[in-house]
Amino acid sequence: MRSIWRGAVSFGLVSIGVKLYSATEDKDIRFHQVHATDGGRVKYKRVCSIDGEEVEYSDIAKGYELPSGEVVILTDEDFDELPLSTRREIEVLQFVDQSEIDPIQFEKTYYLEPDGPAVRPYVLLREALENAGQVAITKIAIRQRESLAAMRVRDGVLVLHTMRWPDEIRRPDFAFLDEDVSVRPQELQMAEALIGSMTGDFDPSEFTDNYREAMTALLEAKQSGGEVQAVPEVADTGAAVVDLMSALRRSVERARGGSADDVADGAGDSADATDDVEKPAAKRAPAKKAAAKKAPAKKAAAEKPAEKATAASKSAAAKSAPAKSTTAKKAPAKRARRSA
């Protein structure tokens, strides 16, 4: 097990160093969301609702929306600066009988392990709790949330049960509670007799998870029957491909409806967005631009001699473009011979 919290139990003037471990784990059969056609994993991206850009996890903060619609943004530093002693201390507030705590208040269970030289005071608190037959009411802050907690002894280990605050427990406001419903004495007697016949000692190992067993059997049957699908390995290009496509799309839109300056700005945006893209994917953009240059070449025959010279100088400057653009340069050369 890996500890998720480290601090101390404050018991009067005694401070007991402890480590906190999750005492439970889920045994559910976990499924992935996949494409029903080919079994490919369905992935989700964190996208900003304002600019549509994908947001890195390191750039995500917590926001509290006010009734006015405005948002208060809180960072990790803001949470760290909260004046909470319970972030590193489990303070014992009082001792009560466990029967006084309604189980509806229990939330999650943790084990407490003595940390370093704290074994002796740890055992002292454990023995005192067992002899008193009571549980300790404490407070602890875990994962940016402070909770009430009940500490008791189980199998020689201090166990901490985090609890809901009273205002977090809903009131059962059901209509039938206001109705005057009566039961006959004979019915009540029969129900009590049935309860008596089913009374026994609770042993959780006698009960099984039928759903999990049925699902396991179903998965095994499909596997043995060959109903499995091999998912081809696909290179994880990450968000860079999506960003590249978005950048190219914006560039095309600007080129169609904007000025030359807008097109240049769009090209700059696409270059910034493709810094992290692999080289093979980045080489496709120049090839498409070279094909777009063929149209001016067809009009060269109708130009004046001075304009032909200008076109020739432009083609000379474009020799650094990819190999595909060379075919576009040959056409002006042939037409120049005819005119001579």
Side-chain angles (χ1 to χ4, degrees):
M1 292 189 294
R2 183 176 62 86
S3 63
I4 61 174
W5 186 92
R6 189 173 185 176
V9 175
S10 177
F11 174 42
L13 298 178
V14 180
S15 182
I16 308 170
V18 293
K19 294 179 182 179
L20 192 76
Y21 300 85
S22 180
T24 60
E25 61 180 343
D26 294 331
K27 292 292 187 179
D28 296 337
I29 297 176
R30 299 186 179 276
F31 298 95
H32 297 299
Q33 287 188 325
V34 299
H35 189 193
T37 303
D38 53 19
R41 289 281 297 275
V42 177
K43 297 184 178 181
Y44 294 91
K45 297 182 182 296
R46 295 177 290 270
V47 179
C48 177
S49 61
I50 296 177
D51 58 21
E53 298 293 333
E54 185 176 2
V55 182
E56 295 293 334
Y57 188 80
S58 58
D59 294 331
I60 295 178
K62 288 182 171 59
Y64 178 80
E65 185 174 355
L66 301 174
S68 61
E70 297 175 305
V71 177
V72 178
I73 299 177
L74 299 176
T75 63
D76 291 338
E77 290 74 15
D78 294 325
F79 287 99
D80 293 338
E81 293 174 0
L82 289 176
L84 291 176
S85 61
T86 50
R87 287 189 304 172
R88 286 291 175 263
E89 183 180 68
I90 303 173
E91 182 182 1
V92 176
L93 304 175
Q94 68 176 138
F95 296 92
V96 300
D97 292 331
Q98 186 171 344
S99 59
E100 297 181 22
I101 304 175
D102 192 325
I104 197 174
Q105 292 185 261
F106 291 133
E107 188 175 21
K108 189 168 175 55
T109 306
Y110 300 92
Y111 287 137
L112 293 176
E113 178 193 25
D115 189 6
V119 175
R120 189 171 184 277
Y122 180 97
V123 173
L124 173 63
L125 177 59
R126 182 192 67 186
E127 298 296 330
L129 277 177
E130 283 188 318
N131 293 339
Q134 292 183 318
V135 298
I137 301 300
T138 69
K139 284 202 304 183
I140 184 174
I142 305 176
R143 297 188 179 94
Q144 301 172 347
R145 183 178 187 270
E146 188 176 59
S147 302
L148 274 176
M151 185 168 57
R152 66 183 182 92
V153 181
R154 181 180 186 274
D155 296 335
V157 178
L158 291 177
V159 177
L160 195 73
H161 302 276
T162 54
M163 298 191 297
R164 294 281 186 180
W165 294 99
D167 59 354
E168 293 180 325
I169 299 174
R170 294 176 175 175
R171 180 176 176 270
D173 189 12
F174 302 123
F176 80 92
L177 294 174
D178 298 327
E179 298 177 4
D180 186 12
V181 181
S182 60
V183 295
R184 295 187 299 171
Q186 297 87 344
E187 295 172 335
L188 182 60
Q189 185 177 3
M190 289 296 295
E192 292 175 348
L194 179 60
I195 293 175
S197 64
M198 298 176 65
T199 300
D201 296 328
F202 176 63
D203 182 4
S205 62
E206 295 180 354
F207 304 93
T208 57
D209 186 346
N210 294 334
Y211 174 83
R212 188 170 69 182
E213 290 183 352
M215 184 57 64
T216 301
L218 175 61
L219 293 173
E220 291 176 352
K222 282 183 171 290
Q223 182 179 2
S224 61
E227 295 184 55
V228 295
Q229 186 165 349
V231 181
E233 294 185 3
V234 179
D236 187 5
T237 57
V241 173
V242 178
D243 292 341
L244 173 61
M245 294 302 296
S246 300
L248 292 176
R249 188 178 296 109
R250 289 196 299 269
S251 299
V252 171
E253 291 173 353
R254 291 184 181 181
R256 289 176 177 174
S259 62
D261 293 336
D262 293 336
V263 176
D265 292 341
D269 292 344
S270 64
D272 293 339
T274 56
D275 287 342
D276 297 331
V277 184
E278 296 179 357
K279 292 182 179 179
K283 289 181 180 178
R284 297 175 186 170
K288 293 181 180 178
K289 293 179 181 177
K293 293 179 181 177
K294 292 180 180 179
K298 294 180 180 178
K299 298 178 182 179
E303 294 177 353
K304 297 178 180 180
E307 293 175 342
K308 294 179 181 178
T310 304
S313 62
K314 289 182 179 180
S315 63
K319 288 181 179 181
S320 58
K324 290 184 179 180
S325 63
T326 57
T327 57
K329 297 173 187 175
K330 292 179 181 178
K334 291 181 180 177
R335 294 188 183 98
R337 293 174 186 171
R338 293 173 186 172
S339 63

